CSV table of all heavy atoms in Angstrom, one decimal:
chain,number,residue,atom,x,y,z
A,11,GLU,N,0.8,-1.2,0.0
A,11,GLU,CA,0.0,0.0,0.0
A,11,GLU,C,0.9,1.3,0.0
A,11,GLU,O,0.3,2.4,-0.2
A,11,GLU,CB,-1.0,0.0,1.2
A,11,GLU,CG,-0.3,0.0,2.5
A,11,GLU,CD,-0.1,-1.4,3.1
A,11,GLU,OE1,-0.1,-2.4,2.4
A,11,GLU,OE2,0.1,-1.5,4.3
A,12,ASP,N,2.2,1.1,0.2
A,12,ASP,CA,3.0,2.3,0.3
A,12,ASP,C,3.7,2.5,-1.1
A,12,ASP,O,4.4,3.6,-1.3
A,12,ASP,CB,4.1,2.2,1.4
A,12,ASP,CG,3.5,2.2,2.7
A,12,ASP,OD1,2.4,2.8,2.9
A,12,ASP,OD2,4.1,1.7,3.7
A,13,VAL,N,3.7,1.6,-2.0
A,13,VAL,CA,4.4,1.7,-3.3
A,13,VAL,C,3.9,2.9,-4.0
A,13,VAL,O,4.7,3.8,-4.4
A,13,VAL,CB,4.2,0.4,-4.1
A,13,VAL,CG1,4.7,0.6,-5.6
A,13,VAL,CG2,5.0,-0.7,-3.5
A,14,LEU,N,2.6,3.1,-4.3
A,14,LEU,CA,2.1,4.2,-5.0
A,14,LEU,C,2.4,5.5,-4.4
A,14,LEU,O,3.0,6.4,-5.1
A,14,LEU,CB,0.6,4.0,-5.3
A,14,LEU,CG,-0.1,5.2,-6.1
A,14,LEU,CD1,0.5,5.2,-7.5
A,14,LEU,CD2,-1.6,5.0,-6.1
A,15,PRO,N,2.1,5.8,-3.2
A,15,PRO,CA,2.5,7.1,-2.6
A,15,PRO,C,4.0,7.4,-2.6
A,15,PRO,O,4.4,8.5,-2.9
A,15,PRO,CB,1.9,7.1,-1.2
A,15,PRO,CG,1.5,5.7,-0.9
A,15,PRO,CD,1.4,5.0,-2.2
A,16,GLN,N,4.8,6.4,-2.4
A,16,GLN,CA,6.2,6.6,-2.3
A,16,GLN,C,6.8,6.9,-3.7
A,16,GLN,O,7.6,7.8,-3.9
A,16,GLN,CB,7.0,5.4,-1.7
A,16,GLN,CG,8.4,5.7,-1.6
A,16,GLN,CD,9.2,4.7,-0.7
A,16,GLN,OE1,8.6,4.0,0.0
A,16,GLN,NE2,10.5,4.8,-0.8
A,17,VAL,N,6.3,6.1,-4.7
A,17,VAL,CA,6.8,6.4,-6.1
A,17,VAL,C,6.3,7.8,-6.6
A,17,VAL,O,7.1,8.5,-7.2
A,17,VAL,CB,6.3,5.3,-7.1
A,17,VAL,CG1,6.5,5.7,-8.5
A,17,VAL,CG2,7.0,4.0,-6.8
A,18,LYS,N,5.1,8.1,-6.3
A,18,LYS,CA,4.6,9.4,-6.7
A,18,LYS,C,5.4,10.6,-6.1
A,18,LYS,O,5.7,11.6,-6.7
A,18,LYS,CB,3.1,9.5,-6.5
A,18,LYS,CG,2.3,8.6,-7.4
A,18,LYS,CD,0.8,8.8,-7.3
A,18,LYS,CE,0.3,10.1,-8.0
A,18,LYS,NZ,0.3,10.1,-9.4
A,19,GLU,N,5.7,10.4,-4.8
A,19,GLU,CA,6.5,11.4,-4.1
A,19,GLU,C,7.9,11.5,-4.8
A,19,GLU,O,8.4,12.6,-5.0
A,19,GLU,CB,6.6,11.1,-2.7
A,19,GLU,CG,7.4,12.1,-1.9
A,19,GLU,CD,7.5,11.7,-0.4
A,19,GLU,OE1,6.8,10.9,0.1
A,19,GLU,OE2,8.4,12.4,0.3
A,20,MET,N,8.5,10.4,-5.1
A,20,MET,CA,9.8,10.4,-5.7
A,20,MET,C,9.7,11.0,-7.1
A,20,MET,O,10.6,11.7,-7.6
A,20,MET,CB,10.4,9.0,-5.8
A,20,MET,CG,10.7,8.5,-4.4
A,20,MET,SD,11.0,6.7,-4.3
A,20,MET,CE,12.4,6.5,-5.5
A,21,GLN,N,8.6,10.7,-7.9
A,21,GLN,CA,8.5,11.2,-9.2
A,21,GLN,C,8.4,12.8,-9.2
A,21,GLN,O,8.9,13.4,-10.1
A,21,GLN,CB,7.3,10.6,-9.9
A,21,GLN,CG,7.5,9.2,-10.4
A,21,GLN,CD,6.2,8.6,-11.0
A,21,GLN,OE1,5.1,8.9,-10.6
A,21,GLN,NE2,6.4,7.7,-11.9
A,22,ALA,N,7.8,13.3,-8.1
A,22,ALA,CA,7.7,14.8,-8.0
A,22,ALA,C,9.1,15.4,-7.9
A,22,ALA,O,9.2,16.6,-8.2
A,22,ALA,CB,6.9,15.1,-6.8
A,23,SER,N,10.1,14.6,-7.6
A,23,SER,CA,11.5,15.2,-7.5
A,23,SER,C,12.4,14.6,-8.6
A,23,SER,O,13.6,14.6,-8.4
A,23,SER,CB,12.1,15.0,-6.1
A,23,SER,OG,12.2,13.6,-5.8
A,24,GLY,N,11.8,14.1,-9.7
A,24,GLY,CA,12.6,13.7,-10.8
A,24,GLY,C,12.8,12.2,-11.0
A,24,GLY,O,13.4,11.8,-12.0
A,25,TYR,N,12.3,11.3,-10.2
A,25,TYR,CA,12.4,9.9,-10.3
A,25,TYR,C,11.6,9.5,-11.5
A,25,TYR,O,10.4,9.9,-11.7
A,25,TYR,CB,12.0,9.2,-9.1
A,25,TYR,CG,12.1,7.7,-9.0
A,25,TYR,CD1,13.3,7.1,-8.7
A,25,TYR,CD2,10.9,6.9,-9.2
A,25,TYR,CE1,13.3,5.7,-8.7
A,25,TYR,CE2,11.0,5.5,-9.1
A,25,TYR,CZ,12.2,4.9,-8.9
A,25,TYR,OH,12.2,3.5,-8.8
A,26,ARG,N,12.1,8.6,-12.4
A,26,ARG,CA,11.4,8.1,-13.5
A,26,ARG,C,11.3,6.6,-13.4
A,26,ARG,O,12.3,5.9,-13.1
A,26,ARG,CB,12.0,8.5,-14.8
A,26,ARG,CG,12.0,10.0,-15.1
A,26,ARG,CD,12.6,10.4,-16.4
A,26,ARG,NE,14.0,10.7,-16.2
A,26,ARG,CZ,14.8,11.0,-17.2
A,26,ARG,NH1,14.4,11.0,-18.4
A,26,ARG,NH2,16.1,11.3,-16.9
A,27,LEU,N,10.2,6.0,-13.7
A,27,LEU,CA,9.9,4.6,-13.5
A,27,LEU,C,9.5,4.0,-14.9
A,27,LEU,O,8.6,4.5,-15.5
A,27,LEU,CB,8.8,4.3,-12.5
A,27,LEU,CG,8.5,2.9,-12.2
A,27,LEU,CD1,9.6,2.1,-11.5
A,27,LEU,CD2,7.3,2.8,-11.3
A,28,VAL,N,10.3,3.0,-15.4
A,28,VAL,CA,10.0,2.3,-16.6
A,28,VAL,C,9.9,0.9,-16.3
A,28,VAL,O,10.4,0.3,-15.4
A,28,VAL,CB,11.0,2.6,-17.7
A,28,VAL,CG1,11.0,4.1,-18.2
A,28,VAL,CG2,12.4,2.2,-17.3
A,29,TYR,N,9.1,0.2,-17.2
A,29,TYR,CA,8.9,-1.3,-17.0
A,29,TYR,C,8.6,-2.0,-18.3
A,29,TYR,O,8.4,-1.4,-19.3
A,29,TYR,CB,7.8,-1.5,-16.0
A,29,TYR,CG,6.4,-1.1,-16.4
A,29,TYR,CD1,5.5,-2.1,-16.8
A,29,TYR,CD2,6.0,0.2,-16.5
A,29,TYR,CE1,4.2,-1.7,-17.3
A,29,TYR,CE2,4.7,0.6,-16.9
A,29,TYR,CZ,3.8,-0.4,-17.3
A,29,TYR,OH,2.6,-0.1,-17.8
A,30,LEU,N,8.7,-3.3,-18.1
A,30,LEU,CA,8.4,-4.2,-19.2
A,30,LEU,C,7.4,-5.2,-18.8
A,30,LEU,O,7.4,-5.6,-17.6
A,30,LEU,CB,9.7,-5.0,-19.7
A,30,LEU,CG,10.7,-4.1,-20.4
A,30,LEU,CD1,12.0,-4.9,-20.5
A,30,LEU,CD2,10.2,-3.8,-21.8
A,31,THR,N,6.5,-5.7,-19.7
A,31,THR,CA,5.5,-6.7,-19.3
A,31,THR,C,6.0,-8.0,-19.9
A,31,THR,O,6.8,-8.1,-20.8
A,31,THR,CB,4.2,-6.3,-19.9
A,31,THR,OG1,4.2,-6.2,-21.3
A,31,THR,CG2,3.7,-5.0,-19.2
A,32,ALA,N,5.4,-9.1,-19.4
A,32,ALA,CA,5.7,-10.4,-19.8
A,32,ALA,C,5.3,-10.6,-21.3
A,32,ALA,O,4.3,-10.1,-21.8
A,32,ALA,CB,4.9,-11.5,-19.0
A,33,ASP,N,6.1,-11.3,-22.0
A,33,ASP,CA,5.8,-11.6,-23.4
A,33,ASP,C,4.5,-12.2,-23.6
A,33,ASP,O,3.7,-11.9,-24.5
A,33,ASP,CB,6.9,-12.5,-24.1
A,33,ASP,CG,8.3,-11.8,-24.1
A,33,ASP,OD1,8.3,-10.5,-24.1
A,33,ASP,OD2,9.3,-12.5,-24.2
A,34,GLU,N,4.2,-13.1,-22.7
A,34,GLU,CA,2.9,-13.9,-22.9
A,34,GLU,C,1.7,-13.2,-22.2
A,34,GLU,O,0.6,-13.7,-22.3
A,34,GLU,CB,3.1,-15.3,-22.3
A,34,GLU,CG,3.2,-15.4,-20.8
A,34,GLU,CD,4.5,-15.0,-20.2
A,34,GLU,OE1,5.5,-14.7,-20.9
A,34,GLU,OE2,4.6,-15.1,-18.9
A,35,ASP,N,1.9,-12.2,-21.4
A,35,ASP,CA,0.9,-11.5,-20.6
A,35,ASP,C,1.2,-10.0,-20.5
A,35,ASP,O,1.8,-9.6,-19.6
A,35,ASP,CB,0.7,-12.2,-19.3
A,35,ASP,CG,-0.4,-11.6,-18.5
A,35,ASP,OD1,-1.1,-10.6,-18.9
A,35,ASP,OD2,-0.6,-12.0,-17.3
A,36,PRO,N,0.7,-9.2,-21.4
A,36,PRO,CA,1.0,-7.8,-21.4
A,36,PRO,C,0.4,-7.0,-20.2
A,36,PRO,O,0.7,-5.8,-20.0
A,36,PRO,CB,0.4,-7.3,-22.7
A,36,PRO,CG,-0.5,-8.3,-23.2
A,36,PRO,CD,-0.1,-9.6,-22.6
A,37,SER,N,-0.4,-7.7,-19.4
A,37,SER,CA,-0.9,-7.0,-18.2
A,37,SER,C,0.0,-7.3,-17.0
A,37,SER,O,-0.2,-6.7,-15.9
A,37,SER,CB,-2.3,-7.6,-17.9
A,37,SER,OG,-2.2,-8.9,-17.4
A,38,LYS,N,1.1,-8.1,-17.1
A,38,LYS,CA,1.9,-8.4,-16.0
A,38,LYS,C,3.3,-7.8,-16.1
A,38,LYS,O,4.1,-8.1,-17.0
A,38,LYS,CB,2.1,-9.9,-15.9
A,38,LYS,CG,3.0,-10.4,-14.8
A,38,LYS,CD,3.1,-11.9,-14.7
A,38,LYS,CE,3.9,-12.3,-13.5
A,38,LYS,NZ,3.9,-13.7,-13.2
A,39,ALA,N,3.6,-6.8,-15.2
A,39,ALA,CA,4.9,-6.2,-15.2
A,39,ALA,C,5.9,-7.2,-14.6
A,39,ALA,O,5.7,-7.7,-13.5
A,39,ALA,CB,4.9,-4.9,-14.4
A,40,VAL,N,7.0,-7.4,-15.4
A,40,VAL,CA,8.0,-8.4,-14.9
A,40,VAL,C,9.4,-7.8,-14.7
A,40,VAL,O,10.2,-8.5,-14.1
A,40,VAL,CB,8.1,-9.6,-15.9
A,40,VAL,CG1,6.7,-10.3,-16.0
A,40,VAL,CG2,8.5,-9.1,-17.3
A,41,ALA,N,9.6,-6.6,-15.1
A,41,ALA,CA,10.9,-6.0,-14.9
A,41,ALA,C,10.7,-4.5,-14.8
A,41,ALA,O,9.8,-3.9,-15.5
A,41,ALA,CB,11.9,-6.3,-16.0
A,42,PHE,N,11.5,-3.8,-14.0
A,42,PHE,CA,11.3,-2.3,-13.9
A,42,PHE,C,12.7,-1.7,-13.6
A,42,PHE,O,13.6,-2.4,-13.1
A,42,PHE,CB,10.3,-2.0,-12.8
A,42,PHE,CG,10.9,-1.8,-11.4
A,42,PHE,CD1,11.1,-0.5,-10.9
A,42,PHE,CD2,11.4,-2.9,-10.6
A,42,PHE,CE1,11.7,-0.3,-9.6
A,42,PHE,CE2,11.9,-2.7,-9.4
A,42,PHE,CZ,12.1,-1.4,-8.9
A,43,ALA,N,12.8,-0.4,-13.9
A,43,ALA,CA,13.9,0.4,-13.5
A,43,ALA,C,13.4,1.7,-13.1
A,43,ALA,O,12.5,2.3,-13.6
A,43,ALA,CB,14.9,0.5,-14.7
A,44,GLY,N,14.1,2.2,-12.1
A,44,GLY,CA,13.8,3.6,-11.6
A,44,GLY,C,15.1,4.4,-11.6
A,44,GLY,O,16.2,3.9,-11.2
A,45,PHE,N,15.1,5.6,-12.2
A,45,PHE,CA,16.3,6.4,-12.3
A,45,PHE,C,16.0,7.8,-12.3
A,45,PHE,O,14.8,8.3,-12.3
A,45,PHE,CB,17.0,6.0,-13.7
A,45,PHE,CG,16.1,6.2,-14.9
A,45,PHE,CD1,16.2,7.4,-15.6
A,45,PHE,CD2,15.1,5.3,-15.3
A,45,PHE,CE1,15.4,7.6,-16.8
A,45,PHE,CE2,14.3,5.5,-16.4
A,45,PHE,CZ,14.5,6.6,-17.1
């Protein structure tokens, strides 16, 4: 329950989050990077 508010707070100061979904299931995030 803390993921969304923490990521949004970090994004407000320049954090960017990118991700990839599973080849067989485009609704499933399987890898991410934050930078």
Side-chain angles (χ1 to χ4, degrees):
E11 61 270 19
D12 292 337
V13 169
L14 180 62
Q16 185 167 345
V17 168
K18 290 187 77 71
E19 181 179 346
M20 292 167 59
Q21 285 177 326
S23 62
Y25 182 82
R26 293 182 268 177
L27 182 65
V28 293
Y29 67 103
L30 290 164
T31 60
D33 294 337
E34 74 282 0
D35 182 359
S37 69
K38 182 177 183 173
V40 299
F42 91 106
F45 59 97

